[in-house]
Structure formats: C-alpha cells, structure tokens
Amino acid sequence: MNDETKNAQRINPTDQVLLIYTGGTIGMGQNPITGALEPLDFNHLLSCIPELGQVKTKVDVYQFTPPIDSSDMSPRLWAQLVNIISERYEQYDGFVILHGTDTMAYTASALSFMLENLTKPVILTGSQLPIGQLRTDGKENLVTSIEFASLRHPDGRAVVPEVCIYFSGKLLRGNRSTKQSSDGFNAFDSFNYPHLCDAGINFNFHYHNIHTPDFGRAMVPHTAMDPNVMVFSLFPGMQDNIVRHVLEVPQLRSIVMRSYGSGNAPQFPWIIKLLREASERGVIIVNISQCVSGYVEMGRYDTSYQLKDMGIVSGRDCTVEAAVTKLMYLQGRYTDSRRIRTCMEDSIAGEMTV
C-alpha cells in the first residue's frame, strides 16, 4: 500500500456523513402472517448493527417515511433525494444512501446527472439479505460505504467525489453499474468501466479511474426530469402493427433501443420506415447493445449503417440505466431535440467512453 493510499484512508473524527435510508432488503423483516419480506423502520436496522458504534465518523440519519421498496422508485423520489443532499451539502462531508437493489443502478445513474459538478461522495448500497439475518451482507456494505463517504485527501478534497455503488468489496461508478445477479452477494458490476476501488483487507484505489470535478465551482442540483422515455428491445419475430402503436404514442420523446451485438437491427422495410418516421418527428432514438459489455459501433455492419443514416444516436458503451435517466434529465432541461441528441453523444458525468 503506497503513501497516497495510506493518507487517503485517514478519517478525521470530526467528519460527518448523512445516512439516507430509503428502504430496501437491508432494512426488511419477515411478515409473520404472509412470510413475505416487507420494509421496517430504521430503528429496526440500527438495533441490528452495534458495529456502527465503533465508526469514528459522526453519522446522522434521514429516513424515508414510510420506507419504500425500490420497485416503487420514481423521478419524484430522485428529486427528493437531490433536495435532501443539496439542502445539507455544506453540513456533511459525504452521503450514504441505503437503497433496494432492483433499481439502485437507475437511482445512481439519475443522481450522477442531477447532482452537477458533485464534489463529495454519494455512495449507494444495500444488501441481498436483510440486516437481521445471520449471513447478511448488509453490515459490511453499510460500514464500508460510510468509510468511503468519509475519506479525504490530506488537502481536504474527497477521495471519491462522485455517485458510486458499493457492493461486495467493489466500489463502482454509479452510472456505469448494472445489477448482474438476483441472488448472489456479488450483485453489481460495471462491465464497461474499471472498478474505482477494490476493498479487501486494505483499500486498493484506482485513482486514474475516479472522476475529478471542478472543486472551485459549486455543485448544481437539478430536479426536473421528463420520463417520456421508452425502452424498446429488438427480437426476432417482432410485429409491425404492435411496434407501430408504440412508436406513434404522441407523448413519446425518446427511445432507448436495445439492438443486437455492436448496434445491429433487422433490415425489414417496415421497421426502418417506422424508425425513420419517428426520428423525423423529433423522437430521439439511442442505440444500446443488448450485450452487458461492449460498444455500439454503428456503421460497422450494413445492418447498422441505415440506423446512423437516419439520425439514430449511438449510445456507445452506456448502460440502459444510464441512457434512460440521461434522457429524462436532458428532456427535463431542454425542449430542442437536436440539442438533446448532441448531449447524448457526449459524456456529461463519465457515463460512457467518448
């Protein structure tokens, strides 16, 4: 472990972290009648983690009342999280969000855009087993996330000044992450971007992968999100009458199209016609691969050249979660579809490789 890493791991006892409890498996208990897991209040969670008393950092708590299942997460609740953080931004050195795993990657991606020029850590974590169960992964995930949110360089700058997901020993860029397992502790990974830190006995930071904001400029919160987005997966046997009804919805502003391989689509005249008509109406279509890793490269094969020719935007190596929330964010800020298309081709929060 080099000197820079040692220095980065020093925590000042006066550091303060805000723990935001939204709900999720980590704080759930079993309903004695149905046997189903359901959210409990934060006092239940605290009673199961005596280890928090050994944390040197001062931890304050903000609780969603009532706690929510992450399946019910929404742009309105993302805006609530942004307001909670921005209103307390100067008071705390970092923030930890306890969140259900099902939509955690969506929330992490959304916050990475909504918290413009973030200069402090926002770490999302949770667990695959409730905190009260014997083999829970929640305790380590929570305690380590608090430590990441507290870490600062000797000059006072945050070590990880971006929105991250911490799970099972891996600190990941939030808008590069996706849930890869429904029942394994290794629930998340960032297939197209390296880990920011691997947490074992020591923290092994990969500093060149960590985003560097403008520390001389203020963080700018955004809460307006336009959710008129659709995720549209290509598959063999698609029917034109069904696709037509979807693409012609008047309120539709954008589509994340999950294509084959490196961005390929079938060459049926009807689908080319429908996509071209939608694009000409101002609907933004972003081409994302159905593969969990790799890069969309339109024009590499004939089956993707026509997509590029009709104005469909390459999502490159963006995740579906990042593409969806980026579109919502841009649509909340701009009405001009041409400007949104241009912004979708740029990386604005480290969400894709340009």
Side-chain angles (χ1 to χ4, degrees):
M1 184 166 59
N2 59 38
D3 290 338
E4 184 181 12
T5 305
K6 288 179 181 178
N7 288 335
Q9 292 191 52
R10 291 175 184 165
I11 300 175
N12 190 324
T14 63
D15 287 346
Q16 295 190 81
V17 167
L18 180 63
L19 180 62
I20 304 170
Y21 174 62
T22 68
T25 300
I26 192 168
M28 286 185 171
Q30 196 169 50
N31 185 306
I33 299 174
T34 66
L37 292 175
E38 56 186 27
L40 301 176
D41 65 31
F42 192 76
N43 291 325
H44 162 77
L45 188 145
L46 278 180
S47 68
C48 296
I49 319 175
E51 292 86 352
L52 280 179
Q54 302 176 40
V55 174
K56 297 178 182 178
T57 303
K58 184 178 186 299
V59 179
D60 292 334
V61 175
Y62 184 102
Q63 177 179 338
F64 274 33
T65 306
I68 63 163
D69 187 289
S70 73
S71 299
D72 295 325
M73 187 53 68
S74 68
R76 178 184 63 81
L77 293 173
W78 294 335
Q80 182 177 340
L81 284 169
V82 168
N83 286 329
I84 292 167
I85 292 169
S86 61
E87 290 167 3
R88 297 160 177 80
Y89 196 69
E90 299 304 322
Q91 184 179 348
Y92 294 96
D93 300 292
F95 303 85
V96 173
I97 301 174
L98 293 180
H99 195 289
T101 59
D102 286 347
T103 59
M104 186 182 292
Y106 284 96
T107 297
S109 295
L111 294 180
S112 76
F113 304 122
M114 299 169 79
L115 297 168
E116 180 184 347
N117 196 53
L118 182 67
T119 57
K120 297 182 179 182
V122 175
I123 314 295
L124 284 86
T125 194
S127 66
Q128 293 285 63
L129 284 175
I131 199 77
Q133 293 194 12
L134 183 62
R135 295 181 54 249
T136 183
D137 52 329
K139 291 183 181 180
E140 191 276 326
N141 285 347
L142 173 55
V143 171
T144 304
S145 294
I146 292 171
E147 190 166 2
F148 276 127
S150 309
L151 294 180
R152 289 185 284 170
H153 290 293
D155 63 2
R157 292 180 299 114
V159 174
V160 193
E162 58 175 292
V163 179
C164 302
I165 288 177
Y166 177 73
F167 234 87
S168 190
K170 297 181 294 191
L171 185 68
L172 312 172
R173 174 166 294 170
N175 59 30
R176 292 287 196 142
S177 305
T178 194
K179 187 175 180 181
Q180 67 168 354
S181 174
S182 62
D183 57 4
F185 288 152
N186 188 23
F188 290 88
D189 212 338
S190 52
F191 295 96
N192 286 327
Y193 197 76
H195 301 167
L196 304 184
C197 182
D198 293 301
I201 294 174
N202 297 310
F203 287 165
N204 182 21
F205 283 98
H206 311 294
Y207 289 103
H208 56 287
N209 298 327
I210 298 173
H211 179 67
T212 303
D214 183 350
F215 286 97
R217 189 165 64 87
M219 187 274 288
V220 182
H222 301 275
T223 56
M225 298 285 273
D226 182 344
N228 287 301
V229 182
M230 181 186 69
V231 178
F232 170 56
S233 291
L234 301 178
F235 60 92
M238 294 168 56
Q239 297 298 299
D240 59 348
N241 58 328
I242 296 174
V243 175
R244 181 183 303 277
H245 283 300
V246 173
L247 295 185
E248 292 181 350
V249 172
Q251 295 81 11
L252 182 64
R253 290 191 66 187
S254 59
I255 298 167
V256 175
M257 185 178 73
R258 301 182 67 242
S259 59
Y260 305 131
S262 59
N264 303 312
Q267 297 301 289
F268 305 134
W270 65 266
I271 194 168
I272 296 299
K273 180 175 182 289
L274 288 176
L275 291 173
R276 185 181 297 277
E277 288 174 350
S279 182
E280 289 174 351
R281 288 198 311 271
V283 176
I284 301 127
I285 305 173
V286 180
N287 190 2
I288 297 292
S289 176
Q290 294 180 19
C291 303
V292 294
S293 66
Y295 195 94
V296 164
E297 189 177 355
M298 293 197 302
R300 182 178 180 185
Y301 297 101
D302 287 343
T303 49
S304 63
Y305 181 81
Q306 289 189 61
L307 303 179
K308 183 178 181 181
D309 185 56
M310 69 178 69
I312 291 178
V313 178
S314 172
R316 297 187 173 88
D317 57 353
C318 208
T319 65
V320 171
E321 295 92 337
V324 167
T325 54
K326 184 178 180 180
L327 283 166
M328 290 183 183
Y329 162 74
L330 292 172
Q331 290 171 179
R333 294 193 65 182
Y334 309 117
T335 57
D336 185 356
S337 61
R338 290 171 297 181
R339 182 166 189 178
I340 296 173
R341 278 195 181 97
T342 300
C343 291
M344 286 301 296
E345 293 177 337
D346 292 331
S347 179
I348 59 178
E351 72 279 3
M352 66 182 184
T353 305
V354 178

